[in-house]
Amino acid sequence: MLQIKNLHAKIEDGAEILKGINLEIKPGEVHAIMGPNGAGKSTLSSVISGKDEYEVTEGEIIFEGENINEDKPEDRAHKGIFMSFQYPVEIPGVTVTNFIKAALNETRKANGLEDMPAKEMLALVRENSAKLDIKKDFLARSLNEGFSGGEKKRNEIFQMLMLNPKLAILDETDSGLDIDALRIVADGVNSFRNEGNAVLLITHYQRLLDYIKPDFVHVLADGKIIKTGDASLALELEEKGYDWLLK
Ligand SMILES: Nc1ncnc2c1ncn2[C@@H]1O[C@H](COP(=O)(O)OP(=O)(O)OP(=O)(O)O)[C@@H](O)[C@H]1O
Ligand SMILES: [Mg+2]
């Protein structure tokens, strides 16, 4: 589904941050990326989703067999790449439901589909909000306005379930997840997972990986993947830290 080959990226006029990343994600897989602060984890997710503050200087990002290096973020989203926002924007006057309806229909339009019929949309909102225990009054609130950390998380996972992307990239790095939020993310991801989609999960929390069993764990340090293992690698990191890998 996603192949990253020798990816190098930098900030405009800045130093190189990603220094040759290789990664392959197949349908049905969950990959976790861990690693020290400042390693380039968030940068990697931003580069995959196409944020324009970063410039790819070498290498390729291939999604479903197609090089997407030059695609705009919205094109990537329409192709089925979802990324959660570490710092979600507030949109006063636009409700949680209306925002996601618009986003979903936007994606359908880009793929040559008509708007989702209102009845179908309503059923989908009901189904997914029930999964995440989201109440009606929450759906009617202005997007992200005054949301608590947990509410932001819940909304983010709700967006993921609604948009039903092929690849979901979740950056949990700086969000200060408490136990409730951890569960929301874990339950959401587990109900999302299927044979046809994939998840790239960035986390510092070994505990999150107790709930979401990753197929692969990668350690990113100084812009490179320096180790790849299975779920047991996360436990080893928890115990030993990163120092033993950095020498
Ligand atoms: N837009 C930017 N402008 C300036 N420096 C940046 C920018 N984005 C990333 N960097 C730098 O690139 C490096 C990697 O940052 P990044 O946010 O990807 O790290 P991270 O692995 O996600 O860290 P953390 O675990 O703390 O979330 C850091 O040194 C950071 O300061
Ligand atoms: Mg980060």
Side-chain angles (χ1 to χ4, degrees):
M1 170 176 302
L2 181 76
Q3 282 170 289
I4 294 178
K5 294 183 185 165
N6 189 32
L7 183 68
H8 291 252
K10 62 179 183 86
I11 345 157
E12 305 281 327
D13 306 319
E16 187 168 61
I17 303 172
L18 303 181
K19 303 175 179 173
I21 304 269
N22 291 292
L23 181 66
E24 177 164 12
I25 301 181
K26 299 203 175 99
E29 293 178 348
V30 173
H31 289 243
I33 296 197
M34 304 184 85
N37 291 127
K41 302 181 299 296
S42 297
T43 301
L44 176 61
S45 52
S46 297
V47 171
I48 298 171
S49 55
K51 261 205 192 158
D52 51 13
E53 61 193 273
Y54 301 98
E55 188 189 322
V56 172
T57 51
E58 211 184 318
E60 284 184 288
I61 306 172
I62 296 165
F63 184 65
E64 305 244 276
E66 203 185 322
N67 184 311
I68 58 163
N69 281 27
E70 302 298 327
D71 283 17
K72 293 199 203 74
E74 56 270 28
D75 295 333
R76 300 181 198 210
H78 296 153
K79 285 177 181 170
I81 298 177
F82 171 89
M83 185 177 146
S84 68
F85 302 99
Q86 237 173 354
Y87 305 102
V89 284
E90 292 184 10
I91 312 185
V94 175
T95 65
V96 168
T97 314
N98 284 339
F99 180 81
I100 195 62
K101 278 183 185 169
L104 210 155
N105 280 330
E106 184 75 31
T107 297
R108 287 174 66 97
K109 198 171 160 193
N111 288 295
L113 297 169
E114 303 272 306
D115 279 4
M116 184 178 275
K119 233 175 139 178
E120 204 180 311
M121 183 72 84
L122 184 64
L124 197 63
V125 168
R126 284 214 177 115
E127 181 192 334
N128 288 322
S129 55
K131 267 186 201 163
L132 297 169
D133 201 21
I134 288 175
K135 303 281 182 293
K136 251 198 173 143
D137 58 343
F138 181 79
L139 293 170
R141 280 177 68 176
S142 274
L143 192 71
N144 288 320
E145 217 176 11
F147 280 15
S148 71
E151 287 167 343
K152 282 183 187 156
K153 267 297 121 186
R154 213 178 278 272
N155 180 49
E156 209 172 270
I157 299 298
F158 175 63
Q159 291 178 346
M160 177 185 77
L161 294 178
M162 287 293 294
L163 292 172
N164 193 22
K166 290 174 186 152
L167 174 67
I169 304 173
L170 303 171
D171 188 345
E172 304 306 336
T173 307
D174 301 312
S175 46
L177 296 184
D178 64 18
I179 292 167
D180 284 347
L182 217 82
R183 289 246 165 82
I184 296 164
V185 174
D187 293 348
V189 169
N190 288 329
S191 79
F192 170 71
R193 286 181 87 159
N194 66 40
E195 294 284 292
N197 63 29
V199 179
L200 181 62
L201 179 66
I202 295 168
T203 184
H204 285 296
Y205 302 86
Q206 194 280 319
R207 270 188 73 185
L208 185 56
L209 304 181
D210 285 340
Y211 302 120
I212 305 169
K213 282 270 161 265
D215 299 289
F216 298 94
V217 174
H218 309 278
V219 179
L220 186 66
D222 193 23
K224 287 193 204 105
I225 290 176
I226 57 166
K227 193 168 178 71
T228 292
D230 60 16
S232 69
L233 177 57
L235 291 169
E236 205 176 351
L237 293 169
E238 179 83 351
E239 192 189 316
K240 298 199 215 162
Y242 294 113
D243 278 355
W244 61 289
L245 289 172
L246 300 174
K247 296 214 169 87

